[in-house]
Amino acid sequence: VKGGGKASPGSPSHAPPSMVNNEQRQHAEHIFLSFRKSKSPFAVCKHILETSKVDYVLFQAATAIMEAVVREWILLEKSSIESLRTFLLTYVLQRPNLQKYVREQILLAVAVIVKRGSLDKSIDCKSIFHEVSQLISSGNPTVQTLACSILTALLSEFSSSSKTSNIGLSMEFHGNCKRIFQEDDLRQIFLLTVEVLQEFSRRENLNAQMSSVFQRYLALANQVLTMFESSQNVMLKPTESWRETLLDSRVMELFFTVHRKIREDTDMAQDSLQCLAQLASLHGPIFPDEGSQVDYLAHFIEGLLNTINGIEIEDSEAVGISSIISNLITVFPRNILTAIPNELFSSFVNCLTHLTCSFGRSAALEEVLDKDDMVYMEAYDKLLESWLTLVQDDKHFHKGFFTQHAVQVFNSYIQCHLAAPDGTRNLTANGVASREEEEISELQEDDREQFSDQLASVGMLGRIAADHCIPLLTSLLEDRVTRLHGQLQRHQQQLLASPGSSSIDNKVLDDLYEDIHWLILVTGYLLANDTQGETPLIPPEIMEYSIKHSADVDINTTLQILGSPGEKASSIPGYNRTDSVIRLLSAILRVSEVESRAIRANLTHLLSPQMGKDIVWFLKRWAKTYLLVDEKLYDQISLPFNTAFGADTEGSQWIVGYLLEKVISNLAVWSSEQDLANDTVQLLVTLVERRERLANLVIQCENWWNLAKQFARRSPPLHFLSSSVQRTLMKALVLGGFAHMDTDTKQQYWTEVLQPLQQRFLNVINQENFQQICQEEEVKQEITATLEALCGIAEATQIDNVAILFNFLMDFLTNCIGLMEVYKNTPETVNLIIEVFVEVAHKQICYLGESKAMNLYEACLTLLQVYSKNNLGRQRTDVTAEEDQYQDLLLIMELLTNLLSKEFIDFSDTDEVFRGHEPGQETNRSVSAADVVLYGVNLVLPLMSQDLLKFPSLCNQYYKLITFICEIFPEKIPQLPEDLFKSLMYSLELGMTSMSSEVCQLCLEALTPLAEQCAKAQETDSSLFLATRHFLKMVFDMLVLQKHNTEMTTAEGEAFYTLVCLHQAEYSELVETLLSSQQDPVIYQRLADAFNKLTASSTPPTLDRKQKMAFLKSLEEFMANVGGLLCVK
Amino acid sequence: MADEVDFTSGDAGASTTYPMQCSALRKKGFVVLKGRPCKIVDMSTSKTGKHGHAKVHLFGIDIFTGKKYEDICPSTHNMDVPNIKRNDYQLICIQDVYLSLLTESGEVREDLKVPEGDLGKEIEGKYNAGEDVQVSVMCAMSEEYAVAIKPCK
């Protein structure tokens, strides 16, 4: 230890780097580390603290004390712990000039002692508060600062978040400590803090030193108020015992006063606003009744309005203020909100409106300036979200209450997103336009996702003020369509006049595209909701709006507007007597039509793929909600909607035809724009996946058949599409084939779509010289295209088509195995073949009955056999060898996992879905997924090297698979061939010792079922029995001898208990050996007691759930008492 | 393009590369970068300005040398894709630094060198030990090397 002190001149913090070499530094560090682990270092540490002048050494001594107290807690007398705590506190008090980091570390040690003591109820917290309050009343800023540090240290230690020191106790312990602490001690701290703040807020001129004390206490107040966090959100939900403290209106007023005083200080304002935001979220049992809640809210809103009305808000205040408002609106129920005085509520909503618009404008400026820290954007997001919360449940407000506010917020949103002169987009504060063409990567989210929350709120507000917003969007869009059309025509004339000239300025076009982009996004969010899975409904506000005006609407003109996207809306007579919602849709169809015409005029290079994306995105969203409206889903339905998009109407037929045409044109023209092609093909899927209605209309279109035939021919332009788009297209075409059609049509459809695929494939592989020509490029392309298409077909699987698709795909799978042989030296083809199997298993296995599943298992097995045969012993040196093998094995693991999933997700009803497709045949084979998977693992295992396990995804997939196997089929493990069994056990051991903690956890989870299996089989000489004995020792060592990771306790505990049950004698032996190696009689006794207590509730241990739970509970206490004790040097 | 592809015609004098639209290239596939046959290890797109057209960034490694190459081009452009052929031959003997290989059709090739590095040593070792070995040969853009071996059953 003296050495530790002497090493100080060479310690990391003191000697200049040039004077110490790396080795010396490591040596010094090592000395400190081992010093901290030494046994009962208290006397030595005290001595060091009292004599050493080296800060770093003092720091280490404090750390050593803290760690040793926790480690040796059960060995120490309570009185010596008490005196240790007093010593540390006095030490700090007597040395005001200690380095900050040393002081904080000593205070942390005090806090840890207090906390660990609360488990024993042996340390009394109260005396600390008494001491602290005396320090505060001293009036001496230095002493007050110290008092604040003590409180902060306690708070951090008890807050049970990441700030808590790792003292080897369960999260439950930390949670309990926190709960008890919140009841009483925390309130003490808060009251002390409030006193200090009150004192300071009364003073006129604060000098720098006092100001800094003020700041510290404000931060402390913030820390207290945020300590009530529940799992996700930080909200203030204290217990009843806080009632007097927090409902005292002087507390709330104090924080408003404090904020007004310091609002220009950026750092302090953060804390004061955060405190106010917490107070704005006050809820729970603290309110005795609704009346008190109303009073509190009214009072708070008054304070808020007084604080922000009439001031110019600082940049640093924006986020804080919007959090306050957002908390008020989220936390206080509507009936409380409406119970406050009317005028006050109106002022509040006016203020919200004003702030929203103003923050929106500032956010737009931030975007122009490309600021890193977008505070206004964050504030704007919060306020828009608050609007959504506020208006969503509007039955508490009278109708139309929010309309004017909605109009204002909506207008300002539109204005910020449109170019001058209508809007202010890209204008700096002084009105100068800025325009930069930046490079945008594919990783950048599309605006429709990045701003989806904003758009959802603005869309909602637009619905509330539909009378204003729908016509506004329509006229803005119609205006842009006309201008876009004109601009493109001018470009075309210019091109015709001087071909090849590239002097055209695209600024006007880009501005139009950006305007249209935002208008389409807002329209999309206004007219329809995002939905996942469920059938999206037309928003009630939109339905009402259309119905309300339908008396003034001329249906025929409306249909005419809809059906003539090539003409200007205003050129149609009577255009003002049309349904506004349909006219808004037709405005977007007009945009789409301008795009299509530009393509026909060879102006594609001038078009914006982004706009193209927006159009198909909108059409998909719209079609899902409006096309073929289902009357059964609505109380009342708008006549114009029903006439234009209802089932069996000319309107819907026309629209479907139009959409199909758009899809076909896009796939041909935009194959080079992956995202656009993808959105387009998703639109197509939407049209055919609702097959009871919409798909029937689709397949009546000539174009649909053309598309199918064109794709089947694999001719340009469709084969330029990326492989993922081609797969989805295949999926759509297959889905369409399940629409209702008469038998002849169906036959014809299959002849056109699926049979060519089969025929072409068979033609290729059945050629006599296939072996010789298989490496020719055309042949390889043909094969690749077929395999891709198979993946697409598998993707189209649904419960009612699986029978047909499975039979169709099975024929291919058999042939694919032959291909594996032919292309054994062509890794990319091999990889794709495995992928086909993965996809088929993934999509279909859960629907397959026994005999079909058998077919698939067998096919997969054969695939793996061929793969294994071709790769065992093969040595590759080409540069991509490792990567290729990694890709293959990853897919194989995925395949095996998919097959295994049959055991827990199974929708099949003994070949129910296949009934009628084949004569019932009895199967007397009974091969389970486990057999196949284990066989697969057997084949793959020899190919898995430790190098390959270094790929994290492969490693995780592998361990997930073997844990699955152990959990689902423990009875199969003892029957494995010896080699496989050994590798499996070795894998588990490896996973527990040298992989990530995630993998370790998986392995521990695998042990329990294995041990249970042994207990059931009662064979004491099986190799599994012997293996589990080895694992008992491993888990025992992990728990007792290694530094412990508390997150793992449950998995370890379960495995440990089951293993102990199985090997009771060996367990006793392990305990005996451990005990007998202890020389210190005190430690021996404590350890022996701890072990006795551990098994007391479960003697003799049996595999009984109750006993197991009791054991797990004792284990936690055991770990708290002896965990780490034996790690001591 | 014809509806049916004629697979029977030979490839004598066939081009060593063929063009493909950039957007149809695929990761794990092949492309010619800076005149070298490469395997595509990464592909990403970007655009200039929100309303710009897509450009494709290609990252590849030379299938023979392992050298890395990258390129960027508009996604509508055509790129050359190398025809890659792989053949497995039976090793008959090693003469000087050349391999004698037996083709499927019973002919003997003697134009391929023993590869450098570990694989070459492995081949020589196996040959000297009298083991039967199958050699995989990869050919692209008029270059051809032995890249893998597998013991014969």
Side-chain angles (χ1 to χ4, degrees):
Chain A
V1 172
K2 277 274 160 60
K6 274 182 187 152
S8 59
S11 70
S13 66
H14 287 277
S18 53
M19 277 178 61
V20 238
N21 63 28
N22 234 359
E23 208 173 301
Q24 285 171 315
R25 183 174 291 113
Q26 275 172 6
H27 179 64
E29 277 168 4
H30 182 73
I31 287 174
F32 279 116
L33 279 177
S34 53
F35 165 63
R36 274 162 45 179
K37 284 187 191 152
S38 56
K39 216 182 118 201
S40 298
F42 304 110
V44 183
C45 287
K46 274 188 184 177
H47 181 74
I48 294 176
L49 285 172
E50 274 161 349
T51 52
S52 175
K53 303 247 175 325
V54 183
D55 295 327
Y56 186 72
V57 176
L58 296 177
F59 176 87
Q60 290 292 349
T63 313
I65 290 183
M66 177 170 72
E67 290 179 356
V69 168
V70 173
R71 201 168 53 220
E72 300 181 15
W73 190 268
I74 56 164
L75 304 175
L76 293 169
E77 296 295 329
K78 301 297 174 230
S79 59
S80 47
I81 298 177
E82 283 278 2
S83 77
L84 196 60
R85 181 183 70 87
T86 316
F87 166 79
L88 291 172
L89 210 52
T90 321
Y91 179 86
V92 174
L93 285 174
Q94 286 167 348
R95 291 170 180 76
N97 296 326
L98 275 178
Q99 278 290 329
K100 186 165 177 270
Y101 76 99
V102 177
R103 186 174 58 230
E104 310 250 299
Q105 190 68 4
I106 296 174
L107 292 177
L108 183 63
V110 173
V112 166
I113 291 175
V114 172
K115 184 169 180 180
R116 180 63 179 85
S118 69
L119 185 65
D120 288 354
K121 309 206 170 29
S122 55
I123 301 279
D124 186 11
C125 224
K126 301 294 172 292
S127 63
I128 279 217
F129 292 115
H130 184 67
E131 288 159 47
V132 171
S133 85
Q134 279 183 329
L135 299 179
I136 289 176
S137 53
S138 72
N140 174 343
T142 318
V143 178
Q144 286 175 326
T145 305
L146 179 65
C148 188
S149 300
I150 297 173
L151 295 177
T152 309
L154 280 172
L155 217 59
S156 310
E157 206 39 60
F158 275 90
S159 65
S160 145
S161 61
S162 50
K163 291 177 210 153
T164 303
S165 307
N166 184 1
I167 52 176
L169 292 174
S170 71
M171 289 318 280
E172 196 189 345
F173 165 73
H174 290 294
N176 280 338
C177 282
K178 182 178 164 184
R179 243 188 321 280
I180 297 165
F181 183 74
Q182 279 174 347
E183 276 293 306
D184 201 21
D185 299 336
L186 186 64
R187 205 156 42 83
Q188 293 265 359
I189 296 179
F190 185 67
L191 286 172
L192 289 172
T193 314
V194 164
E195 254 174 61
V196 178
L197 292 180
Q198 232 137 20
E199 166 71 22
F200 278 91
S201 72
R202 277 195 291 269
R203 296 206 190 164
E204 275 308 312
N205 297 312
L206 291 177
N207 62 27
Q209 197 187 13
M210 286 198 277
S211 184
S212 124
V213 177
F214 190 19
Q215 180 166 6
R216 284 171 143 264
Y217 276 90
L218 187 55
L220 183 62
N222 182 12
Q223 221 182 324
V224 172
L225 290 173
T226 43
M227 211 177 137
F228 292 91
E229 71 211 79
S230 53
S231 53
Q232 293 127 20
N233 38 14
V234 188
M235 291 280 180
L236 190 53
K237 190 183 178 183
T239 52
E240 267 180 65
S241 58
W242 283 73
R243 189 171 288 162
E244 250 176 73
T245 317
L246 286 178
L247 294 192
D248 181 347
S249 59
R250 279 169 304 178
V251 169
M252 180 199 298
E253 275 158 24
L254 171 67
F255 283 98
F256 279 119
T257 311
V258 166
H259 180 68
R260 281 194 288 266
K261 195 178 174 89
I262 50 82
R263 56 182 288 264
E264 277 158 22
D265 180 316
T266 313
D267 292 337
M268 285 171 88
Q270 297 284 0
D271 279 319
S272 59
L273 287 171
Q274 182 71 47
C275 288
L276 285 166
Q278 286 304 108
L279 291 173
S281 72
L282 188 64
H283 65 292
I286 188 162
F287 291 115
D289 50 36
E290 289 194 351
S292 63
Q293 211 174 354
V294 173
D295 287 347
Y296 182 87
L297 178 65
H299 211 94
F300 194 96
I301 289 181
E302 258 171 62
L304 178 69
L305 295 179
N306 286 337
T307 305
I308 55 181
N309 276 346
I311 59 162
E312 197 168 317
I313 288 176
E314 304 274 330
D315 293 357
S316 53
E317 288 179 304
V319 174
I321 289 176
S322 53
S323 302
I324 295 173
I325 294 177
S326 148
N327 283 353
L328 288 174
I329 291 175
T330 318
V331 170
F332 285 88
R334 293 301 87 106
N335 61 325
I336 303 292
L337 216 51
T338 46
I340 67 171
N342 280 342
E343 239 170 82
L344 187 61
F345 185 65
S346 295
S347 313
F348 176 60
V349 179
N350 286 338
C351 171
L352 173 58
T353 310
H354 168 75
L355 284 180
T356 311
C357 297
S358 143
F359 287 175
R361 282 189 293 272
S362 305
L365 284 179
E366 277 175 346
E367 284 211 295
V368 176
L369 300 176
D370 206 8
K371 283 196 177 174
D372 285 340
D373 193 11
M374 308 264 282
V375 289
Y376 283 106
M377 188 58 90
E378 192 185 337
Y380 191 42
D381 282 340
K382 278 185 202 277
L383 291 188
L384 284 176
E385 202 188 309
S386 307
W387 275 110
L388 195 59
T389 320
L390 192 59
V391 301
Q392 245 166 5
D393 184 16
D394 64 353
K395 61 176 186 294
H396 289 279
F397 308 102
H398 69 79
K399 207 167 168 58
F401 182 87
F402 291 114
T403 308
Q404 279 318 306
H405 304 104
V407 166
Q408 285 186 50
V409 175
F410 188 88
N411 281 353
S412 101
Y413 190 86
I414 296 289
Q415 198 177 37
C416 290
H417 289 85
L418 293 184
D422 289 347
T424 57
R425 188 183 68 231
N426 278 342
L427 292 189
T428 56
N430 51 15
V432 180
S434 102
R435 179 168 174 264
E436 266 178 78
E437 291 269 273
E438 56 183 89
E439 208 55 27
I440 299 174
S441 96
E442 64 180 357
L443 299 174
Q444 169 121 29
E445 264 185 316
D446 198 281
D447 286 338
R448 70 183 187 226
E449 273 115 35
Q450 196 188 340
F451 297 104
S452 61
D453 291 343
Q454 283 192 4
L455 287 162
S457 297
V458 170
M460 187 67 192
L461 292 171
R463 290 175 201 170
I464 288 178
D467 272 309
H468 166 81
C469 300
I470 290 181
L472 175 70
L473 287 174
T474 308
S475 76
L476 288 170
L477 270 167
E478 285 178 354
D479 169 72
R480 300 305 184 276
V481 173
T482 311
R483 278 159 59 190
L484 179 62
H485 188 234
Q487 190 61 22
L488 287 170
Q489 272 185 331
R490 277 188 287 282
H491 275 287
Q492 190 184 22
Q493 279 152 12
Q494 224 167 324
L495 281 171
L496 288 174
S498 53
S501 84
S502 57
S503 62
I504 304 164
D505 176 22
N506 285 333
K507 169 154 184 0
V508 179
L509 270 181
D510 269 2
D511 273 349
L512 281 169
Y513 288 143
E514 185 71 0
D515 279 9
I516 293 172
H517 166 66
W518 286 107
L519 290 170
I520 293 180
L521 292 190
V522 172
T523 307
Y525 274 89
L526 191 152
L527 289 184
N529 289 320
D530 277 322
T531 47
Q532 261 133 18
E534 55 199 299
T535 313
L537 291 180
I538 297 173
E541 296 87 355
I542 303 295
M543 188 66 97
E544 265 169 48
Y545 170 72
S546 172
I547 292 171
K548 193 172 81 184
H549 295 282
S550 56
D552 309 324
V553 163
D554 184 302
I555 299 276
N556 282 332
T557 321
T558 304
L559 290 179
Q560 209 184 335
I561 287 259
L562 178 66
S564 56
E567 285 165 52
K568 240 175 150 168
S570 57
S571 71
I572 293 164
Y575 67 94
N576 273 332
R577 295 195 59 212
T578 50
D579 180 271
S580 301
V581 181
I582 297 180
R583 184 152 160 210
L584 179 54
L585 163 72
S586 55
I588 292 182
L589 294 184
R590 284 174 164 70
V591 179
S592 161
E593 189 60 24
V594 169
E595 188 194 36
S596 301
R597 289 184 178 194
I599 288 168
R600 288 199 287 274
N602 288 324
L603 295 176
T604 311
H605 61 286
L606 291 176
L607 287 170
S608 156
Q610 175 69 54
M611 185 183 76
K613 250 171 91 173
D614 297 333
I615 293 170
V616 282
W617 166 82
F618 173 86
L619 292 175
K620 176 184 155 201
R621 196 177 168 104
W622 176 85
K624 266 191 171 174
T625 313
Y626 288 81
L627 201 46
L628 302 194
V629 274
D630 186 349
E631 290 165 62
K632 291 194 293 291
L633 300 173
Y634 302 91
D635 294 338
Q636 48 175 352
I637 202 154
S638 129
L639 183 64
F641 287 1
N642 213 5
T643 320
F645 326 124
D648 307 318
T649 59
E650 272 183 47
S652 54
Q653 248 172 31
W654 178 83
I655 288 252
V656 166
Y658 186 86
L659 294 178
L660 255 186
E661 206 175 304
K662 187 81 198 170
V663 167
I664 291 171
S665 150
N666 273 5
L667 292 180
V669 177
W670 293 117
S671 61
S672 59
E673 296 288 336
Q674 158 106 3
D675 288 348
L676 174 47
N678 195 43
D679 278 346
T680 302
V681 81
Q682 292 299 344
L683 169 61
L684 188 65
V685 170
T686 301
L687 292 181
V688 290
E689 74 189 346
R690 273 163 63 199
R691 80 178 78 102
E692 74 286 5
R693 299 155 63 83
L694 199 46
N696 299 341
L697 271 186
V698 175
I699 56 146
Q700 284 165 29
C701 295
E702 189 63 32
N703 266 334
W704 170 260
W705 293 78
N706 291 338
L707 180 67
K709 284 184 223 168
Q710 200 187 9
F711 188 61
R713 275 201 305 272
R714 274 185 214 137
S715 48
L718 293 180
H719 81 175
F720 289 156
L721 293 165
S722 68
S723 75
S724 74
V725 174
Q726 289 199 37
R727 282 187 195 187
T728 317
L729 180 53
M730 187 75 232
K731 170 184 169 183
L733 290 173
V734 172
L735 284 175
F738 289 96
H740 290 295
M741 39 186 146
D742 57 63
T743 325
D744 286 348
T745 325
K746 196 151 215 140
Q747 192 51 50
Q748 190 197 343
Y749 188 72
W750 290 107
T751 318
E752 305 271 8
V753 180
L754 291 188
Q755 261 171 13
L757 187 72
Q758 203 163 21
Q759 206 46 56
R760 292 175 67 123
F761 182 64
L762 293 176
N763 285 350
V764 176
I765 62 169
N766 289 338
Q767 290 174 92
E768 254 174 59
N769 62 346
F770 181 52
Q771 284 279 358
Q772 282 89 57
I773 59 167
C774 69
Q775 288 289 331
E776 274 168 29
E777 205 50 52
E778 298 79 17
V779 180
K780 278 203 285 190
Q781 280 179 26
E782 188 67 23
I783 298 290
T784 305
T786 306
L787 296 171
E788 287 283 345
L790 295 179
C791 290
I793 294 172
E795 268 181 49
T797 304
Q798 295 178 341
I799 187 154
D800 51 358
N801 65 19
V802 65
I804 295 173
L805 292 186
F806 178 76
N807 288 337
F808 180 78
L809 288 169
M810 257 332 268
D811 290 344
F812 279 97
L813 292 191
T814 319
N815 284 319
C816 281
I817 290 166
L819 283 184
M820 280 292 272
E821 194 60 57
V822 175
Y823 286 102
K824 62 185 174 205
N825 53 20
T826 312
E828 59 277 10
T829 311
V830 169
N831 194 262
L832 193 53
I833 294 171
I834 306 175
E835 200 179 342
V836 173
F837 280 75
V838 170
E839 285 299 315
V840 174
H842 175 55
K843 292 289 179 182
Q844 302 201 327
I845 189 86
C846 62
Y847 301 122
L848 301 182
E850 200 178 307
S851 68
K852 299 289 168 188
M854 269 303 307
N855 294 346
L856 186 56
Y857 291 155
E858 281 170 3
C860 292
L861 255 191
T862 320
L863 173 89
L864 293 176
Q865 282 164 336
V866 173
Y867 182 84
S868 166
K869 172 178 75 75
N870 288 337
N871 285 279
L872 265 183
R874 183 169 152 90
Q875 283 171 293
R876 284 176 60 187
T877 52
D878 49 323
V879 287
T880 60
E882 197 184 37
E883 171 83 12
D884 287 340
Q885 197 173 25
Y886 156 68
Q887 301 280 5
D888 288 349
L889 290 179
L890 193 56
L891 281 176
I892 291 174
M893 297 291 163
E894 220 176 296
L895 175 63
L896 297 178
T897 314
N898 287 345
L899 292 179
L900 206 48
S901 72
K902 175 81 174 160
E903 297 297 321
F904 41 88
I905 308 171
D906 193 348
F907 302 131
S908 71
D909 181 12
T910 52
D911 288 55
E912 174 76 29
V913 295
F914 290 91
R915 217 158 271 165
H917 286 276
E918 62 180 72
Q921 59 184 89
E922 284 296 308
T923 51
N924 48 11
R925 293 168 295 185
S926 61
V927 176
S928 73
D931 295 320
V932 187
V933 172
L934 286 174
Y935 198 80
V937 172
N938 196 10
L939 292 175
V940 172
L941 217 54
L943 301 171
M944 290 287 289
S945 63
Q946 286 203 23
D947 270 349
L948 278 169
L949 280 177
K950 283 178 190 148
F951 287 102
S953 49
L954 188 61
C955 182
N956 283 345
Q957 186 79 34
Y958 173 69
Y959 276 103
K960 225 181 278 170
L961 181 66
I962 61 177
T963 302
F964 259 11
I965 295 173
C966 294
E967 280 177 341
I968 307 176
F969 310 109
E971 72 279 2
K972 301 278 182 189
I973 308 289
Q975 301 159 13
L976 293 177
E978 198 189 337
D979 281 351
L980 180 55
F981 177 80
K982 275 190 183 152
S983 340
L984 206 61
M985 293 302 122
Y986 178 64
S987 289
L988 286 175
E989 187 171 345
L990 200 65
M992 282 165 66
T993 49
S994 34
M995 302 284 165
S996 66
S997 63
E998 196 189 338
V999 166
C1000 181
Q1001 178 126 4
L1002 282 173
C1003 293
L1004 286 165
E1005 282 165 19
L1007 291 182
T1008 310
L1010 292 184
E1012 281 169 357
Q1013 172 59 31
C1014 278
K1016 230 183 285 168
Q1018 294 189 323
E1019 285 171 329
T1020 48
D1021 53 351
S1022 73
S1023 35
L1024 183 61
F1025 187 81
L1026 298 177
T1028 50
R1029 204 157 68 192
H1030 173 64
F1031 287 127
L1032 171 69
K1033 167 108 178 68
M1034 280 186 70
V1035 180
F1036 183 84
D1037 288 354
M1038 277 170 91
L1039 281 166
V1040 181
L1041 298 177
Q1042 289 162 20
K1043 188 155 169 47
H1044 190 247
N1045 176 356
T1046 39
E1047 281 166 29
M1048 214 89 93
T1049 310
T1050 313
E1052 280 170 348
E1054 292 211 13
F1056 187 49
Y1057 184 70
T1058 332
L1059 291 165
V1060 168
C1061 289
L1062 191 61
H1063 302 283
Q1064 294 173 24
E1066 283 77 7
Y1067 167 69
S1068 307
E1069 217 171 277
L1070 284 172
V1071 175
E1072 276 312 311
T1073 317
L1074 182 75
L1075 287 175
S1076 62
S1077 67
Q1078 302 303 318
Q1079 279 129 24
D1080 186 330
V1082 181
I1083 293 191
Y1084 177 91
Q1085 198 48 51
R1086 302 273 176 164
L1087 263 179
D1089 291 349
F1091 274 115
N1092 282 336
K1093 251 175 115 181
L1094 175 63
T1095 44
S1097 59
S1098 45
T1099 313
T1102 57
L1103 289 172
D1104 164 87
R1105 200 183 134 69
K1106 238 171 143 183
Q1107 278 201 8
K1108 183 164 156 181
M1109 297 321 287
F1111 179 87
L1112 289 179
K1113 198 129 192 66
S1114 323
L1115 183 65
E1116 285 205 0
E1117 201 189 325
F1118 176 86
M1119 293 309 294
N1121 285 329
V1122 303
L1125 191 62
L1126 299 172
C1127 297
V1128 182
K1129 203 181 80 181
Chain B
M1 192 185 258
D3 279 5
E4 292 297 324
V5 183
D6 181 8
F7 296 105
T8 48
S9 63
D11 69 334
S15 163
T16 59
T17 65
Y18 62 99
M20 191 186 251
Q21 182 169 304
C22 216
S23 56
L25 292 170
R26 39 187 295 148
K27 211 185 147 192
K28 298 188 239 171
F30 300 91
V31 72
V32 178
L33 295 177
K34 308 267 151 47
R36 298 292 307 164
C38 291
K39 179 170 170 120
I40 303 170
V41 290
D42 200 9
M43 241 178 113
S44 66
T45 56
S46 73
K47 56 185 179 181
T48 308
K50 204 189 283 178
H51 301 283
H53 289 235
K55 288 177 291 190
V56 178
H57 303 240
L58 290 163
F59 301 87
I61 45 176
D62 187 318
I63 55 172
F64 294 123
T65 67
K67 237 181 123 180
K68 288 178 183 152
Y69 293 97
E70 60 173 284
D71 199 0
I72 179 167
C73 72
S75 66
T76 47
H77 277 208
N78 280 340
M79 296 289 286
D80 282 334
V81 177
N83 289 323
I84 310 262
K85 287 197 179 168
R86 294 185 179 81
N87 286 301
D88 288 357
Y89 304 112
Q90 182 98 23
L91 178 67
I92 308 171
C93 69
I94 298 178
Q95 272 186 342
D96 298 328
V97 291
Y98 283 89
L99 302 166
S100 287
L101 301 168
L102 184 66
T103 70
E104 291 255 338
S105 54
E107 291 156 42
V108 177
R109 294 185 58 166
E110 294 182 316
D111 55 338
L112 282 173
K113 277 192 176 169
V114 175
E116 287 169 15
D118 291 343
L119 189 68
K121 288 190 196 113
E122 197 72 35
I123 295 178
E124 280 168 348
K126 291 226 162 34
Y127 172 70
N128 292 335
E131 288 177 45
D132 281 343
V133 179
Q134 208 171 39
V135 179
S136 293
V137 172
M138 180 159 69
C139 167
M141 298 174 75
S142 322
E143 282 182 59
E144 197 166 18
Y145 299 101
V147 293
I149 53 166
K150 189 177 180 340
C152 293
K153 303 141 284 217

